[in-house]
Amino acid sequence: MYYSNNLDGFLGVGTVDDTMNVSLENVADSTFLRLSNASAIATNEGGLVIEDIKSLKEVFEANKNAFLSSNSKVIEIPTIGVKFAMASADVSSIELVKEYANIFLQTDKSATILIEGYACNIGDDNSNMLLSENRANTVKQILINNGIPEKNIEVKWYGESKYNELGYKNNEEHRRVNVSIK
């Protein structure tokens, strides 16, 4: 908003230039306020699990733009999949979880994040159950270390009991943790 007014001076002092710029709303601040008051929900894109940070940012940006152009009180956050090489996640997967935390922290933080650990069918049931639990807890700890309150996190693990239920093609794809909004 721009305001300008020129007045004749008082008692012959001359002209007074009364000009100022006033910003009533900073767009970035209003975006932050809207997002920080939005409840997170899971993306409704039938089974889509994002496994790279670039795609996560693109999908969330599109969801954010849709949210900002509507009167909605909820914003969709996509599900991510963190692949593990046997027992540990690689650096890009850790960065993916950190970005997920960053996205979640932009909301009102009232939602619950569901972490689900999986395993392939190599090994015995007990080992796979422990492995999937450790994977899920590793992701939980990354989220906590990046500002997510523990009260907002629910952790489940399945060992190999859900092997082939998710439709993955090979053992490597079953060695994972999926993170979503519950």
Side-chain angles (χ1 to χ4, degrees):
M1 170 186 223
Y2 180 78
Y3 168 79
S4 178
N5 194 6
N6 289 319
L7 305 169
D8 287 332
F10 180 69
L11 298 175
V13 173
T15 319
V16 175
D17 183 12
D18 184 20
T19 305
M20 74 173 96
N21 286 315
V22 178
S23 174
L24 298 177
E25 181 177 321
N26 182 323
V27 174
D29 289 344
S30 69
T31 299
F32 171 78
L33 287 174
R34 282 224 36 223
L35 281 174
S36 66
N37 289 313
S39 298
I41 61 170
T43 297
N44 295 327
E45 296 179 25
L48 174 66
V49 177
I50 295 175
E51 296 176 348
D52 66 276
I53 197 165
K54 180 178 181 242
S55 296
L56 174 61
K57 287 180 177 182
E58 288 172 355
V59 170
F60 181 70
E61 190 65 27
N63 291 350
K64 182 169 75 172
N65 290 337
F67 166 79
L68 292 172
S69 66
S70 72
N71 290 325
S72 180
K73 302 285 187 218
V74 296
I75 186 161
E76 294 183 5
I77 298 179
T79 299
I80 61 169
V82 180
K83 291 185 180 177
F84 282 74
M86 289 306 214
S88 62
D90 63 21
V91 174
S92 64
S93 292
I94 293 169
E95 291 304 313
L96 178 66
V97 176
K98 288 179 179 181
E99 183 62 25
Y100 192 90
N102 179 50
I103 288 169
F104 181 80
L105 290 171
Q106 293 177 51
T107 72
D108 70 358
K109 300 173 243 1
S110 64
T112 299
I113 296 174
L114 177 60
I115 300 171
E116 298 176 286
Y118 300 93
C120 67
N121 63 352
I122 297 173
D124 63 61
D125 289 341
N126 291 334
S127 296
N128 284 329
M129 191 62 80
L130 182 61
L131 189 55
S132 63
E133 177 184 11
N134 289 341
R135 288 174 178 157
N137 284 323
T138 296
V139 171
K140 175 184 176 184
Q141 195 58 54
I142 295 168
L143 289 172
I144 290 170
N145 291 347
N146 284 276
I148 304 297
E150 188 169 5
K151 69 179 181 65
N152 291 84
I153 301 172
E154 180 180 332
V155 181
K156 295 182 178 183
W157 55 91
Y158 307 106
E160 65 182 82
S161 67
K162 292 198 176 224
Y163 188 78
N164 281 336
E165 281 185 29
L166 301 174
Y168 297 123
K169 297 178 181 88
N170 56 47
N171 281 339
E172 290 78 20
E173 291 182 17
H174 284 85
R175 298 178 191 131
R176 69 170 47 244
V177 170
N178 287 344
V179 182
S180 61
I181 300 297
K182 182 177 175 187

